[in-house]
Structures are given as structure tokens and as C-alpha cells.
Amino acid sequence: MPFICENVECRAVLARGQVRSIRESEGWCFYCPDCKARNELNDIGAPGGPVELIQPERSDLPHKVIATAQPLEDGRYAAQLRVQRALGVKGTYAVEERWEQLGVFLDAHEAVAHAKSIAADWLDRKA
Ligand SMILES: [Zn+2]
């Protein structure tokens, strides 16, 4: 089984020979050679025996939230949101949900903040 980088922006699939597992005070891990993210590992080897490292099971694949403000003709902004689920292969995402217009705001920052709060609620409900 290869390792898969848990960084949702990366999701590199790494052969075991490509990564160097290291033991830190919090336990085993490896650093992704592509994005340098720390990935946790568990030692499932028998006590006293050779180390056998696996990636901990994640119940859910990570989500990627894209909140944007779309400028409208009247100078206001529409809050837009896309939520994607990372797949097991680098750079691929499945679009799960998409909202084109969650509301109209005078300020782009407010529109993005609104979209992000909707995303947080949505992910909470899924959890
Ligand atoms: Zn990575």
C-alpha cells in the first residue's frame, strides 16, 4: 500500500521507498516530499519486533472548500461556494456541492465570509 499525503491541496501518492519515515517525540511520521506536510504514521509492529508503519485510517477524506465572491453588474458581490472531496490520487477532486449564489453582499470580504460559514455548517452536518 502506498502512502497518500493528507494535505488536501497535495494528495500525492507515494511509494514507501519515496518517503523517509522518522520518529519524533509525538510518534512516527513522514514529511511529504512534494508539499512538506507532516503525515502521521502508526507503528503496528509487535513490541520488541521490527517497526511496521501504516497510515492511520481516516474515516473521511478531506474536503476542500472554495469560497469566492463573484462581482455583479451593480457593484455588489454574490457569495459562491464549492465543496470538493479529495480523491486518492494527486490533484483529483470530486465536486460534491456547488452554490452559485448564496446571497448578495456589498463587500467581497463579507460574501467570502458568508460562503465559508455555510461551508462550515455543511461539513458539520456531514460529520
Ligand atoms: Zn503532500
Side-chain angles (χ1 to χ4, degrees):
M1 271 267 290
F3 292 138
I4 297 176
C5 177
E6 285 177 12
N7 175 6
V8 69
E9 305 288 346
C10 175
R11 303 298 291 165
V13 180
L14 304 157
R16 296 208 168 206
Q18 271 181 286
V19 302
R20 206 160 53 88
S21 42
I22 50 174
R23 188 175 201 165
E24 296 186 333
S25 47
E26 310 97 282
W28 286 92
C29 68
F30 71 88
Y31 288 87
C32 175
D34 285 3
C35 73
K36 315 296 176 217
R38 184 181 188 279
N39 284 263
E40 201 181 313
L41 293 172
N42 288 341
D43 178 10
I44 56 159
V51 171
E52 198 180 330
L53 296 171
I54 58 159
Q55 262 191 303
E57 285 277 328
R58 298 285 178 219
S59 55
D60 219 359
L61 287 164
H63 286 86
K64 182 176 182 174
V65 169
I66 303 162
T68 49
Q70 173 73 34
L72 300 174
E73 275 174 21
D74 63 6
R76 295 185 299 168
Y77 295 87
Q80 292 186 333
L81 175 65
R82 266 180 301 158
V83 179
Q84 300 176 324
R85 180 186 289 273
L87 302 179
V89 179
K90 180 169 182 161
T92 57
Y93 299 92
V95 176
E96 283 213 333
E97 296 289 342
R98 187 187 185 103
W99 292 271
E100 292 297 337
Q101 193 163 324
L102 289 168
V104 175
F105 295 83
L106 291 172
D107 182 277
H109 293 291
E110 267 178 54
V112 169
H114 178 70
K116 281 186 178 163
S117 73
I118 298 281
D121 285 352
W122 186 81
L123 291 172
D124 258 6
R125 272 205 308 277
K126 297 269 294 175

